[in-house]
């Protein structure tokens, strides 16, 4: 019985499908045309490191490469170590925002004594800043907190069960450059570094601190989309001078400025692909990146849509990047 | 009434009085150990804790780093035969995956859409489901597929299905023969079991990096990472299936003069088929649970939107992708369960029935062909319709919910966190991690001997020695504290909720779906809400562990309570037992086996969350592992932390397992069943099947 | 026991001829590590418990020898744990014997290669098991045909053959059923059919009916007797039930703690138990149903009447009773034309009455 019914149902479904088939004339799938491109671009393997600002760079460049140069863009969600490793075996062509990473440079860049699979492709125009930050309400209530000399005065505010009698200093993703344990020690601060272990944890903690007006101090950086939502205030550490951070255990100064750059694989740089020219030309400022990052993180746009929105509104910049690719839009 | 209460005890070999004295002696001994420990701690606190700064690297770590670099260099130079084989294997997997992707999810230029879109895919899935699991399962499978699309994750869902499918096929192809071999050979069992233990307790983050170096970036690395974690269940359960084949049948068929091959194909495989399918089911669930972790090395599928949500601070995005994973898990679980039941019914169907089924299958196949044709040729049948869009409203609701938690709830919950950490967690941690290392080690060794006897003692000493050698003693003890406290809470929850469920079918029916969802929802999804509630700290990490471990433990206890024989319950009732007495004196003691199993599994599940804890502010070993994954200078230390986690896992497992064996020699049959399952599932903190709860 | 001198000598040898179906010589089975090192040492003479304590090894079968003639029904009897099931498994090396020799139809099983052993099991010896051991995923017909299947016989041929055997054991109409759809008795008929299907020379039964209800058990016993009459197979039958042993057995081997205690015909075992163990076993047996006149007759005297009925010494007492009591004269027991003994009414009455009055006592009045 049961099977009979199933059979009947399936037969009916098949019949219905056949009917639809004959009824639906339009909407059939047409092959795409080759987009206007000067040279054959081929594949562009774009690493996507796990933070939103990076996504903004990656998808804007990717979107242009795809629509203007006709590249097949493969976005690969990878973290930095894996991305750099990928230069060697051809699985990654581009890291579009690099925060220093001397240890990776040493391993993969010929100029630093590495195997030469990675090549610098110029600055992105974004200036990276790393430092210690507090939520804005604290700056309003304790205006002198932005001077590191006063941090010990306020240490008791930051006490949590994680740090006992000391103030808690929150650190973020362990992939990011940090000297904080050494800084606390060398500046004789009554703080204990607590490792949140991820950027998400850090952001949620700052968000919560601002919302509930609870004290918090932690590691943060710009450009970062979150600063548009909660404009964290930077604490001034002893001024950075070149070389003051050369011995990681004796650091007692602020982080250096990070002019962010692009890194590509040697093979990609030598390929003559127009995508390489595009990557090399790519240069914008922190506001640009923050805008696209906001589209993605706060407006919850799809990264490709966000990229399209920005590209459509900034044709002049895009045109400058396309110079030398043989394409103009 | 007393008669009833002592009834189960009377069955033991030793007289009840002796038993009680022994039992109490053990409790007193434990108590004494703790008292002495606290006394010593009071005067020695802070000495010889072997604390190591989070950024320090020791010689041991450097050696591990060198070993890891050596593997890496071998991989890049491609000199080794093994590395070449690995590469070939990876290439092969990648090409299979890409071929499937071009059919189902990724257009191949110049075609703007994949070869087969949603209509064809669903028709194909329906046909396969009907063939292997019967028409009833269609009622689950078809709506599930539609849900993937309506939630906005059609492509990611199908990608995840493809990855999981390939992983399960390979796991079965390797695991079933290995399981058969283990089932026949004690030597093989002795060799393979520790390897399986290792595969299941080693945190995946430790091998994410080496695997992606060895096998390249892409689907292959994701599939291999998945395989490491997901293969053991099918091996263990297949071996168990072979070992527990009815001895009478094996002997009778042997007496007929069958060859080995005949024994395998005509007797063992048909008889163990159902158990093997349970193994495949478990492997499938374990594979799905790796979706998010694999996404860290670009593993395709639903793990990626989960991580996107996490990095963009969008709770809703993670949650909706998480729901799709839950739906997929439940769909696969129920369908494989139905398939295992069917595999027996089908062979018994009468001829008329078989003929009808063939007809239905034929009709279905024709329908599927039509659907495939439409899907290949028409946009409407290829691209999943963008409306109705269920994903966006859910996403928005969940984001609103997150905002509400932040504004209205989080100050209250923060004070709960603070109180608990100060009053409870910190003192316990101080005792364990701030006693001199040799005091803590001695205390654990003594506890092991009291609870689990000599074997547990030996394992404990070896494991602790290993942790000492790896230079992460203090972090290991901090992690151990969190694990122990979280497990205590899990067991408490399991008893309260499990008893409630075990005693009421209605409650069971209401709660169970939530447990199923809690078990299959990727833990990363509930990180954001607990960050909002509690901030980044050890407590948050514990909550994550508890959420992950509690469903399994609760189910085990509920099933144990339900398993107490109705006769015993009736006998107790007839002698005037009240509800409280019934629970405390009859049902809980009699389901002791399940309770112990729940404790054991709770421990291992909580332990498997150590790395996620490290991303949630727990620091310690979890942080080291993440650190090693994220920063190439700390690979060696991360590896050391990973091995330390494995050692903690083995130590805790052996103490509880041997303790349980001791506590329930000659227990009732439900206890024995539980013990048997523990043997099979030991050290498998995979989401256990929703099937055999 | 005045009759002791008449007791025939119990022998391990088969009753007639040298053409043996089965010969077992000094068979040992010791379970445990390095078991083979124990035989021949003084440890081998230790009791079971002592050996276990000393070496951790357990004796299953201890130095057992016997012979079985073609067509004979040979029963091995003992309580559970006596080693009888181990013994029967050693015959086809389902359990590997530790030492000793087994010959089936003159072929040495003990040293047979794997393929020879397979051949033996496929063609010459079949076994029926206590818990049936049927394949649950196969229909009756395919269970019965399993032995033929592993021989490599084609599907059609083996099914035809199986069909035949299914009929022989009275299971017509159940060919397409699955084992779990049948009662225990019917399942054991399947087990029997499976063993018969290969047309073996020897059938081994390992307590085949002890899991069955008493009534069904009786039916099955009769079935075995019938099949034995029809097919004349040699049978080795394991049981813990003395009634069953007496009913089926041509000879009975009694085991305790792995060792042979007594081997003899049913009446020998009942009338002349070798020790208290056997006596205990046989105490409840209605002796008149088992014993022959040989066991109750007395020496002829000169004054005996020569008019009583003449009977063979192998006549069962109960069968003789009516005629003996009806006659005014005592029964003359003649063997090969020679008067070997006299049975008077008293002797018969003593036995019959003693049984009804005091079945718990020894049964043989002093």
């Amino acid at each position: 019985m049961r099977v009979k019914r199933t059979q009947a149902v399936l037969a009916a479904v098949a019949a219905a499908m056949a009917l639809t088939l004959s009824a639906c004339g339009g909407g059939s799938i047409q092959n795409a045309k080759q987009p206007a491109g000067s040279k054959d671009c081929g594949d562009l393997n774009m690493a996507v490191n796990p933070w939103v600002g990076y996504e903004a760079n990656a998808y804007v460049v990717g979107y242009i490469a795809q629509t203007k140069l006709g590249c097949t863009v493969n976005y690969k969600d990878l973290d930095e170590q894996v991305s750099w490793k990928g230069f060697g075996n051809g699985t990654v062509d581009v890291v579009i925002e690099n925060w220093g990473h001397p240890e990776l440079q040493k391993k993969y860049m010929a100029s630093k004594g590495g195997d030469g699979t990675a090549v610098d492709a110029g600055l992105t125009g974004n200036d990276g800043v790393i430092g210690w930050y507090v939520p804005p309400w604290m700056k309003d209530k304790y205006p002198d907190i932005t001077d590191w000399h006063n941090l010990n005065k306020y240490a008791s505010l930051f006490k949590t069960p994680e740090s006992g009698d000391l103030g808690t200093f929150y650190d973020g993703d362990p992939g990011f450059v940090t000297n904080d344990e050494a800084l606390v020690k060398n500046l004789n601060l009554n703080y204990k570094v607590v490792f949140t272990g991820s950027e998400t944890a850090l952001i949620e903690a700052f968000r919560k601190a601002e919302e509930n007006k609870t004290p918090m101090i932690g590691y943060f950086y710009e450009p970062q989309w979150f600063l548009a939502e909660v404009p964290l205030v930077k604490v001034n550490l002893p001024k950075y001078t070149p070389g003051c951070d050369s011995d990681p255990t004796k650091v007692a100064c602020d982080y250096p400025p990070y002019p962010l750059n692009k890194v590509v694989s040697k093979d990609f740089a030598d390929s003559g692909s127009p995508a390489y020219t595009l990557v090399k030309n790519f240069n914008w400022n922190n506001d640009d990146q923050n805008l696209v990052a906001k589209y993605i993180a706060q407006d919850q746009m799809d990264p490709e849509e966000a990229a399209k929105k920005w590209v459509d509104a900034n044709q002049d910049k895009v045109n400058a990047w396309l110079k030398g690719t043989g394409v103009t839009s | 009434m007393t008669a009833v209460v002592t009834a189960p005890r009377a069955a033991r070999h030793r007289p009840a009085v002796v038993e009680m004295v022994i039992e109490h002696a053990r409790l007193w001994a434990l108590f004494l150990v703790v008292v002495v420990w606290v006394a010593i701690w009071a005067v020695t606190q802070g000495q010889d804790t072997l604390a190591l700064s989070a950024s320090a690297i020791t010689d041991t770590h450097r050696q591990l780093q060198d070993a890891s670099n050596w593997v890496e260099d071998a991989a890049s130079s491609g000199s080794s035969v093994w590395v070449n084989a690995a590469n070939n294997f990876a290439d092969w997997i990648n090409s299979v995956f890409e071929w499937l992707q071009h059919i189902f999810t990724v257009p191949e230029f110049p075609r703007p859409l994949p070869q087969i879109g949603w209509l064809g895919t669903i028709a194909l899935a329906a046909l396969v489901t009907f063939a292997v699991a019967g028409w009833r399962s269609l009622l689950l499978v078809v709506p599930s597929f539609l849900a993937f699309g309506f939630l906005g994750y059609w492509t990611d869902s199908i990608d995840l299905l493809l990855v999981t499918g390939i992983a399960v096929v390979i796991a079965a192809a390797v695991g079933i023969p290995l399981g058969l071999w283990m089932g026949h050979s004690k030597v093989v069992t002795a060799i393979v079991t520790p390897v399986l233990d290792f595969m299941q307790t080693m945190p995946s983050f430790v091998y994410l990096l080496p695997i992606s170096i060895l096998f390249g970036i892409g689907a292959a690395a994701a599939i291999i990472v998945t395989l490491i974690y997901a293969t053991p269940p099918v091996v263990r359960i297949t071996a168990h299936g072979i070992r527990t084949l009815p001895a009478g049948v094996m002997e009778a068929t042997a007496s007929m003069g069958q060859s080995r091959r005949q024994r395998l194909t005509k007797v063992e495989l048909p008889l163990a088929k159902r158990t093997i399918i349970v193994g495949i089911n478990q492997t499938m669930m374990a594979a799905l649970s790796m979706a998010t972790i694999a996404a860290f090395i670009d593993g395709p599928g639903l793990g990626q939107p989960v991580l996107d949500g996490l990095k963009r601070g969008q709770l809703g995005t993670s949650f909706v992708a998480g729901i799709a994973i839950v739906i997929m898990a439940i769909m696969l679980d129920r369908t494989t369960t139905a398939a295992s039941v069917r595999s027996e019914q089908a062979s018994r169907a009468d001829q008329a029935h078989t003929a009808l089924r063939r007809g239905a299958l034929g009709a279905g196949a024709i329908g599927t062909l039509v659907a495939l044709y439409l899907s290949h040729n028409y946009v409407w049948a290829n691209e999943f319709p963008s409306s109705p869009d269920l994903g966006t409203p859910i996403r928005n609701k969940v984001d609103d919910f997150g905002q509400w938690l932040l504004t209205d709830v989080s100050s209250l919950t923060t004070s709960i966190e603070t109180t608990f950490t100060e009053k409870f967690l910190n003192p316990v941690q101080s005792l364990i991690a701030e006693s001199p290392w040799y005091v803590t080690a001695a205390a654990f060794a003594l506890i092991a001997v009291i609870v689990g006897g000599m074997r547990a003692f030996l394992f404990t000493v070896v494991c602790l020695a290993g942790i000492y050698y790896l230079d992460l003693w203090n972090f290991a003890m901090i992690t151990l504290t969190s694990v122990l406290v979280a497990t205590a809470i899990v067991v408490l929850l399991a008893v309260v909720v499990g008893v409630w469920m075990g005693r009421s079918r209605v409650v069971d029916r209401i709660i169970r779906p939530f447990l199923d969802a809690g078990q299959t929802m990727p833990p990363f999804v509930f990180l954001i809400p607990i960050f909002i509630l509690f901030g980044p700290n050890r407590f948050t990490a514990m909550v994550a562990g508890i959420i992950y471990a509690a469903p399994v433990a609760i189910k085990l206890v509920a099933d144990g309570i339900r398993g107490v024989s109705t006769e015993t319950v009736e006998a107790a009732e007839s002698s005037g037992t009240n509800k409280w007495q019934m629970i405390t004196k009859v049902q809980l003691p009699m389901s002791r086996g399940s309770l112990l199993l729940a404790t054991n599994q709770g421990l291992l599940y909580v332990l498997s969350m150590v790395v996620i804890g490290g991303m949630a502010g727990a620091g310690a070993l979890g942080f080291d592992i993440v650190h090693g994954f994220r920063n190439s200078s700390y690979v060696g230390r991360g590896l050391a932390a990973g091995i330390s986690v494995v050692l903690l896992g083995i130590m805790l497992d052996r103490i509880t397992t041997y303790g349980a064996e001791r506590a329930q020699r000659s227990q009732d049959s439900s206890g024995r069943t539980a013990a048997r399952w523990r043997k099979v599932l030991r050290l498998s903190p995979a989401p256990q099947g929703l099937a055999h709860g | 026991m005045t009759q002791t001198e008449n007791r025939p000598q119990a022998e391990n040898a088969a009753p007639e001829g040298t053409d043996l179906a089965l010969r077992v010589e000094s068979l040992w089975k010791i379970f445990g590590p390095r078991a083979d090192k124990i035989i021949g040492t003084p440890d081998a003479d230790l009791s079971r418990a002592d050996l276990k304590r000393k070496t951790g090894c357990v004796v299953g079968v201890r130095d057992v020898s016997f012979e079985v003639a073609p067509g004979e029904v040979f029963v091995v009897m003992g309580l559970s744990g006596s080693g009888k099931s181990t013994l029967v498994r050693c015959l086809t090396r389902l359990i590997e014997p530790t030492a000793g020799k087994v010959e089936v139809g003159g072929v040495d099983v003990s040293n047979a290669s794997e393929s020879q052993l397979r051949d033996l099991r496929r063609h010459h010896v079949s076994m029926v098991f206590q818990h049936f051991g049927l394949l649950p995923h196969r229909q009756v017909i395919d269970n019965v045909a399993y032995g033929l299947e592993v021989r490599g016989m084609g599907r059609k041929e083996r099914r035809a053959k199986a069909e035949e055997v299914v009929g022989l054991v009275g299971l017509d109409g159940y060919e397409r059923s699955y084992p779990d759809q049948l009662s225990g008795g019917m399942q054991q008929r399947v087990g029997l059919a499976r063993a018969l299907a290969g047309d073996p020379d020897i059938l081994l039964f390992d307590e085949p009916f002890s899991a069955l209800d008493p009534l069904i058990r009786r039916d099955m016993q009769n079935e075995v007797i019938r099949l034995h009459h029809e097919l004349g197979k040699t049978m080795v039958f394991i049981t813990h039930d003395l009634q069953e042993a007496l009913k089926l057995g041509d000879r009975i081997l009694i085991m305790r703690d792995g060792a042979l205690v007594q081997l003899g015909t049913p009446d020998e075992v009942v009338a002349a138990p070798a020790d208290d163990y056997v006596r205990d076993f046989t105490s409840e047996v209605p002796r008149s149903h088992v014993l022959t006149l040989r066991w109750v007759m007395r020496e002829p005297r000169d004054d005996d009447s020569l008019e009583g009925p003449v009977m063979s010494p192998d006549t069962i007492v109960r069968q003789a009773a009516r005629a003996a009591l009806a006659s005014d004269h005592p029964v003359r027991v003649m063997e090969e034309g020679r008067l070997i003994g006299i049975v008077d009414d008293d002797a018969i009455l003593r036995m019959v009455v003693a049984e009804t009055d005091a079945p718990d006592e020894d049964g043989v009045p002093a």
Side-chain angles (χ1 to χ4, degrees), chain B residues 246 248-260 262-263 266-267 270-271 347-349, chain C residues 89 94 114 118 121-122 125 127 129 132-138 146-147 149-150 178 180 194:
Chain B
V249 177
M250 299 316 296
E251 190 174 46
T253 52
S255 82
M256 317 294 295
Q258 64 194 354
S259 63
R260 265 164 218 232
Q262 287 168 330
R263 178 180 71 182
K266 293 176 193 290
V267 183
L271 285 182
S347 61
R348 294 196 175 193
Chain C
R89 279 165 175 72
L94 284 175
E114 201 169 324
R118 228 172 12 238
R121 292 177 182 174
R122 284 179 182 180
V125 186
M127 190 156 165
F129 293 84
F132 326 138
L134 302 178
L135 289 163
H137 62 286
R138 289 177 166 229
Y146 187 74
E149 187 178 340
V150 298
Y178 285 86
D180 59 7
R194 178 177 60 185

Side-chain angles (χ1 to χ4, degrees), chain A residues 98 109 111 118-123 260-264 269 276 280:
Chain A
N98 173 51
M109 279 190 167
S111 57
V119 179
D120 179 39
L123 300 176
L260 306 184
N261 67 329
K262 299 157 284 189
V263 184
V264 297
Y276 173 65
K280 216 167 148 45

